[in-house]
Amino acid sequence: MIYHNPVLKGFYPDPSVCCANGMYYMVCSSFQYFPGVPLFESKDLVNWSQIGHVLTRPSQAALEQVPSSGGVFAPTIRHLNGRFYMVTTNASTGENFYVYTDDIHGAWSDPVAVAQDGIDPSLYFEAGNAYFMSNGTDADGVNGVVQCQIDLATGEKLSPSRCIWQGSGGRFLESPHLYRIGDWYYLMAAEGGTEYGHMITYARSKSLWGSFTGYPHNPVLTNRNKAPYPIQGIGHGDLVQDARGNWHILSLGFRQQALWMAFHHLGREVFLTPVTFDEEGWFTAGTDGTTAECYDIAGDFAQKPLPERSFAAPDWYREWCFLRHPRMEQYGLTQGSALLHGTEVTLDEPGSPTFIGLRQQDFSGTVQCVLELDKGEAGLTCYMSEQEHYEVALRRGETGITALCRLNIGGVHQIQKEIPLTGNSARLVIRMEPACYHFSVVTESGETHLGTGQSKYLSSEISSPFTGVILGLYAVGDNTVRFTNFSCVYTET
């Protein structure tokens, strides 16, 4: 079966995977968005369905006033004796913690804190013992991949933190994961920063405490020297074995807008790369150490295209997200419509505006929605951060209701066009292309183009955050706005 990368499109960075009950389960970072840590299920490592989120209660992660790209970083999911564990960092509070559940489709526990610094934590289980690792500083002040034994029931450290590897020499050593395969312990990590120099490296040892010997040909996987090439930033991976005994790395990566357009605004996505072990126990990955656009793997299944998103399903909002901790009384989410109650909090500030969004998953497509407005402002947004977002909206001014296109770049607002409406209802449309967004309004008189925004200004290369564009509904002011007939359809590339 030939599959195409990425296997999960859009802003789903830092993937981690585990196997249980004949299924694969994956988690990804969520940063300032709530619910936190989207959770996925798959039978084949290629087709992923979101089954919920891990952090569904505000008490599980403090997100108040967290700026863009703050909040919940780099989760790891593991399974032991029927129980799932998810360990992560709240980078804004500096806390490493884990939660657990015995029902992967149910609620997760309150956080259990671990008093070890660093980010990108992981868990390893062996012989009834639990080990916690992160990229941090050990008890002697040595930086690197740091590990300690913990009491899994309480999070209490049972041993001092000890540095077990300092990487292959790349900057920003992070994302450590430990595996026992045969006689060897393999320690896989990321280096180079989650940008164009990103890479996956590893080392191995006969002891889980080391010393670890680096793979002689590190990095084992990177696209940093494949330029020009649309797939870049490959790194931060997790190793997984499929039901046929074959090995793979699930990693993050990103797609440039085009061959010679080095901007990415969809965020870091999930890529699948095959792994092969040699007779000496070292493994190689991908196509000469790089991740390609497609691979042929064993299996009788087909890769599914992106579905159309709408309000039609009873639980359509399962994949949607809010900014920070929402006040749920501001939302009425039912099959067929979304009722949003606005406040004075806007998209320009690190609070929790009335906003619900869906990750943009491909470069080309159309988003549209009908809304009714009596006062204030409401519309559709292409949201990257408080400083960078584009809107097509309706608002009531002194002379009545108008439709407008507004670009916010670096905190500078520009209204490209604003026209009066004769009624209080209209269809707002965003047409997406790799290089730009086109905004328009549709009334009984027809469709009127209101403006265009270049997507590069919502990219991580220009905008400071390293998340991805969220396509959202929002309302501002003392108003109640009903959104209906929502549709998001992609022309897949």
Side-chain angles (χ1 to χ4, degrees):
M1 195 281 299
I2 295 176
Y3 71 87
H4 295 265
N5 274 312
V7 293
L8 182 59
K9 295 181 175 182
F11 158 50
Y12 294 107
D14 308 322
S16 176
V17 61
C18 74
C19 307
N21 307 318
M23 302 292 287
Y24 306 99
Y25 296 95
M26 180 173 67
V27 291
C28 300
S29 294
S30 53
F31 296 93
Q32 74 270 29
Y33 292 98
F34 182 85
V37 186
L39 174 64
F40 300 86
E41 182 180 68
S42 175
K43 294 180 179 180
D44 50 38
L45 292 172
V46 171
N47 296 294
W48 294 92
S49 299
Q50 188 166 350
I51 59 174
H53 293 82
V54 174
L55 305 178
T56 58
R57 304 186 299 278
S59 60
Q60 292 172 307
L63 296 177
E64 294 82 1
Q65 301 298 312
V66 166
S68 293
S69 295
V72 178
F73 277 31
T76 297
I77 188 169
R78 293 293 182 258
H79 180 258
L80 177 68
N81 298 330
R83 175 166 286 183
F84 294 88
Y85 295 85
M86 189 283 300
V87 57
T88 189
T89 304
N90 186 332
S92 296
T93 64
E95 181 184 33
N96 283 314
F97 66 92
Y98 58 91
V99 294
Y100 56 86
T101 185
D102 296 328
D103 178 7
I104 193 66
H105 296 275
W108 294 65
S109 72
D110 288 334
V112 180
V114 179
Q116 180 168 291
D117 70 356
I119 61 171
D120 297 4
S122 187
L123 290 171
Y124 175 72
F125 306 124
E126 182 175 277
N129 299 320
Y131 302 88
F132 177 92
M133 67 188 64
S134 61
N135 74 325
T137 305
D138 73 7
D140 297 320
V142 179
N143 295 317
V145 175
V146 176
Q147 179 173 265
C148 66
Q149 186 178 347
I150 64 170
D151 182 331
L152 195 56
T154 65
E156 178 185 1
K157 291 174 64 173
L158 301 180
S159 71
S161 297
R162 175 178 167 185
C163 182
I164 58 173
W165 194 46
Q166 291 187 290
S168 67
R171 67 173 184 163
F172 302 140
L173 176 65
E174 56 193 356
S175 177
H177 294 306
L178 187 66
Y179 316 88
R180 177 70 181 269
I181 304 172
D183 295 331
W184 294 97
Y185 294 90
Y186 294 85
L187 178 57
M188 196 166 75
E191 301 180 45
T194 186
E195 302 147 358
Y196 287 84
H198 211 197
M199 54 185 173
I200 294 176
T201 60
Y202 76 96
R204 69 180 189 181
S205 170
K206 290 292 181 71
S207 166
L208 63 84
W209 293 104
S211 59
F212 281 86
T213 301
Y215 172 53
H217 306 292
N218 271 326
V220 67
L221 187 62
T222 182
N223 279 34
R224 64 184 182 181
N225 291 323
K226 294 203 75 170
Y229 196 72
I231 298 174
Q232 296 291 334
I234 293 292
H236 200 116
D238 207 355
L239 195 62
V240 62
Q241 188 178 30
D242 67 23
R244 292 176 171 81
N246 300 311
W247 289 90
H248 312 265
I249 291 175
L250 272 172
S251 75
L252 68 79
F254 56 81
R255 290 177 289 164
Q256 295 181 179
Q257 292 175 3
L259 194 63
W260 299 103
M261 296 172 63
F263 304 101
H264 73 283
H265 61 285
L266 302 184
R268 294 167 296 163
E269 307 174 293
V270 179
F271 292 76
L272 183 66
T273 308
V275 166
T276 303
F277 281 82
D278 66 22
E279 294 180 354
E280 297 180 356
W282 296 106
F283 66 83
T284 57
T287 307
D288 297 325
T290 68
T291 293
E293 292 178 283
C294 62
Y295 288 99
D296 193 352
I297 61 172
D300 185 18
F301 59 92
Q303 187 172 16
K304 298 176 183 178
L306 289 172
E308 177 182 353
R309 310 293 182 181
S310 72
F311 294 160
D315 59 349
W316 60 263
Y317 42 84
R318 173 180 291 179
E319 297 171 324
W320 293 58
C321 58
F322 306 88
L323 277 165
R324 304 168 188 94
H325 290 319
R327 292 186 295 170
M328 292 311 298
E329 63 270 19
Q330 295 170 203
Y331 303 88
L333 308 177
T334 60
Q335 186 174 7
S337 70
L339 194 67
L340 273 58
H341 302 281
T343 70
E344 297 308 312
V345 181
T346 72
L347 298 175
D348 300 334
E349 50 196 293
S352 187
T354 299
F355 164 97
I356 181 169
L358 187 69
R359 289 156 172 86
Q360 182 179 344
Q361 292 191 276
D362 221 333
F363 293 109
S364 301
T366 302
V367 181
Q368 52 189 316
C369 195
V370 174
L371 63 90
E372 302 171 11
L373 180 79
D374 290 324
K375 53 184 176 178
E377 177 181 313
L380 301 179
T381 180
C382 302
Y383 182 90
M384 180 63 164
S385 72
E386 311 88 72
Q387 297 293 313
E388 288 83 24
H389 50 87
Y390 301 156
E391 282 82 56
V392 58
L394 303 185
R395 72 175 177 182
R396 177 173 286 280
E398 295 180 358
T399 60
I401 294 178
T402 60
L404 62 91
C405 170
R406 181 176 54 237
L407 309 182
N408 183 17
I409 302 172
V412 178
H413 292 254
Q414 180 194 40
I415 294 179
Q416 288 203 331
K417 188 174 184 178
E418 186 169 10
I419 63 171
L421 297 185
T422 57
N424 68 342
S425 177
R427 178 182 298 276
L428 301 179
V429 181
I430 304 173
R431 289 186 170 82
M432 302 175 290
E433 297 176 354
C436 57
Y437 299 92
H438 302 284
F439 304 96
S440 61
V441 60
V442 181
T443 65
E444 292 180 353
S445 302
E447 182 168 349
T448 302
H449 181 256
L450 297 175
T452 298
Q454 294 184 53
S455 55
K456 71 178 181 181
Y457 293 110
L458 304 184
S459 71
S460 293
E461 287 77 12
I462 294 180
S463 175
S464 57
F466 46 89
T467 49
V469 170
I470 303 289
L471 304 170
L473 319 175
Y474 77 98
V476 178
D478 182 17
N479 59 17
T480 298
V481 183
R482 183 176 299 278
F483 295 79
T484 58
N485 300 102
F486 176 86
S487 174
C488 178
V489 180
Y490 291 104
T491 307
E492 293 195 72
T493 56

